[in-house]
Amino acid sequence: HMNSTLTRPTWRLLLVWLTIGGSCAQTEAEPVAAFSTPSGLAVAGTVEDRLFVSNSGQDTVQVLRLGKDLSQIEFVYGLAHGFPLRIPAGWGASDLAATSDGRFVVVLDLVSESLRLIDADSLLLVRDATGVVLQLPLGAEGSRPTAMKASPVGCEAPCVGRVFITLAGAGAVLAVDVMSTGDAAWLE
């Protein structure tokens, strides 16, 4: 007697199978890039579209330049010839979200329980007026942020984007605005 109940993973596989046409002749999807432990994604940039990938296995964010199709995706390289750029994003860089204007990528750091900000065009961590990397703590220690999503709803200037963060330890959802005026940017 066969069990007619499909599990959730089975439904997902079935949906993928139906989406790609349900043909046995389909080949397996090819990865566009390899990472140590990829955990978050965001597409941002005002000059060109870039895919930001939090590579939590290396405590970095890496960047891919997006082309018109999958064959044109390539790493953005750093100053060391032949090595992909690695933006040091914190010990627990996990989730990413892009601002609605595409200028910034917000980085959720699970270890420090804070947010950092990357300029999506210069590919540098945003710094405050004293030159220190901008970092916003997410409540009291033990707030345990777990996930972050960008708001699809815009906000009024100087706000350029809003993100929502779940705080499992506090049993709450936090809203944070990304603010920018000219060359200055901050989180509030």
Side-chain angles (χ1 to χ4, degrees):
H1 166 248
M2 184 181 259
N3 186 351
S4 63
T5 304
L6 292 176
T7 64
R8 184 169 289 169
T10 304
W11 273 111
R12 287 185 185 136
L13 287 174
L14 179 60
L15 180 60
V16 168
W17 182 72
L18 292 172
T19 303
I20 61 173
S23 169
C24 292
Q26 292 288 337
T27 59
E28 193 172 298
E30 294 288 325
V32 295
F35 300 91
S36 176
T37 311
S39 56
L41 299 170
V43 175
T46 62
V47 177
E48 65 182 352
D49 285 335
R50 295 172 170 161
L51 177 64
F52 291 76
V53 180
S54 61
N55 194 1
S56 58
Q58 296 180 348
D59 303 320
T60 63
V61 171
Q62 290 182 259
V63 186
L64 295 160
R65 184 174 291 113
L66 299 177
K68 294 189 185 293
D69 61 41
L70 292 177
S71 68
Q72 296 176 337
I73 294 174
E74 63 184 15
F75 276 105
V76 171
Y77 287 91
L79 296 176
H81 182 67
F83 291 96
L85 174 70
R86 288 179 170 80
I87 303 168
W91 295 106
S94 65
D95 213 350
L96 303 175
T99 57
S100 53
D101 68 351
R103 180 156 176 228
F104 298 101
V105 174
V106 182
V107 180
L108 174 62
D109 185 328
L110 298 180
V111 174
S112 68
E113 298 183 340
S114 65
L115 297 179
R116 290 185 185 83
L117 201 56
I118 296 173
D119 183 306
D121 293 329
S122 72
L123 303 177
L124 297 172
L125 286 166
V126 173
R127 296 179 180 274
D128 66 17
T130 65
V132 176
V133 171
L134 183 68
Q135 186 169 315
L136 178 70
L138 298 173
E141 188 175 333
S143 62
R144 290 193 351 254
T146 55
M148 177 175 60
K149 295 294 178 212
S151 173
V153 179
C155 47
E156 292 185 32
C159 178
V160 294
R162 178 172 292 140
V163 294
F164 295 99
I165 302 105
T166 56
L167 302 176
V173 174
L174 180 65
V176 175
D177 288 339
V178 179
M179 312 296 276
S180 178
T181 56
D183 291 335
W186 67 97
L187 298 164
E188 58 179 49

